[in-house]
Amino acid sequence: MTGPRLKIHTAAMAANEKWAAKQKFMEFLGQKNLRLTSQRQAIIDTVLGTEEHFTAEQLLDWSRRRDRSVSRATVYRTLTLLTESGLVREMDFGKHHKFYDPNYLDHPNHSHIICQDCDRIVEFDSEKIERLENEISHKLGFELKTQRLQITARCQELKKLGACRKKAC
């Protein structure tokens, strides 16, 4: 496949994955006898429209750009539902707030590096780490189901320049 066709194919696949995730969530709501309100719709579209890790407050801000009526309470209730449904993962990186990982459904066994200085979160996959986790699990008599590796680090940019462009002032 050529470059432009590959991009179109990838975009179409991403759109299908988002549609499937939305359908999964709507089925989950139905099982709980809950409606898909316009506020929930805005929140879900916002979550499915990002690949960034986010806080509840960021989600509130982003969702209000779609629908000014989105309330803080609805964001928190919807985040709980999204987490219960498996579409996002709540992440505790030792900060005063939780982060939410919207890429959890796509690949649940990825790892994170969290910058201690600017809170930047970088996802990565490693076949070596995966093999090591499987090896350790089997040696200890377990079958690996999921894993979560969090590495806390410091920005090289901060070290080199004395300031980090990513850090919120």
Side-chain angles (χ1 to χ4, degrees):
M1 238 185 245
T2 61
R5 271 186 89 202
L6 181 60
K7 287 181 184 175
I8 291 169
H9 180 70
T10 303
M13 285 177 50
N16 284 339
E17 289 170 3
K18 288 178 184 184
W19 181 85
K22 191 171 187 176
Q23 289 302 116
K24 178 183 177 181
F25 187 68
M26 288 172 54
E27 289 171 15
F28 179 80
L29 288 177
Q31 291 168 358
K32 293 193 157 282
N33 293 320
L34 297 170
R35 297 181 301 119
L36 182 62
T37 64
S38 62
Q39 286 189 15
R40 278 194 188 125
Q41 177 78 48
I43 294 164
I44 293 160
D45 288 344
T46 301
V47 168
L48 295 176
T50 187
E51 293 191 10
E52 285 182 55
H53 294 74
F54 56 86
T55 65
E57 290 301 312
Q58 285 173 311
L59 181 57
L60 174 64
D61 181 48
W62 297 342
S63 298
R64 282 184 174 166
R65 292 178 194 168
R66 291 179 185 264
D67 180 345
R68 293 180 48 83
S69 71
V70 172
S71 71
R72 180 173 276 105
T74 302
V75 165
Y76 279 94
R77 284 192 301 267
T78 304
L79 276 171
T80 298
L81 294 168
L82 285 163
T83 302
E84 283 178 31
S85 72
L87 292 177
V88 300
R89 182 195 284 181
E90 184 179 85
M91 309 292 290
D92 185 350
F93 294 137
K95 304 291 180 180
H96 63 278
H97 49 267
K98 304 278 192 233
F99 284 88
Y100 294 87
D101 184 349
N103 303 316
Y104 179 65
L105 186 64
D106 296 337
H107 58 289
N109 294 323
H110 60 270
S111 301
H112 299 91
I113 297 176
I114 303 96
C115 180
Q116 193 173 18
D117 301 311
C118 68
D119 290 340
R120 190 173 118 202
I121 300 167
V122 177
E123 289 183 355
F124 68 94
D125 292 307
S126 169
E127 289 181 15
K128 286 182 181 181
I129 291 173
E130 189 176 336
R131 281 194 304 272
L132 183 59
E133 290 167 338
N134 279 314
E135 180 185 318
I136 291 168
S137 296
H138 284 96
K139 273 187 181 177
L140 297 175
F142 293 94
E143 180 183 340
L144 183 66
K145 294 292 183 194
T146 63
Q147 62 80 9
R148 183 167 77 186
L149 174 64
Q150 294 177 189
I151 299 171
T152 302
R154 300 202 88 149
C155 258
Q156 287 296 321
E157 185 172 350
L158 182 70
K159 186 177 178 181
K160 287 179 188 173
L161 305 175
C164 177
R165 290 173 288 176
K166 297 167 198 77
K167 186 172 181 126
C169 297

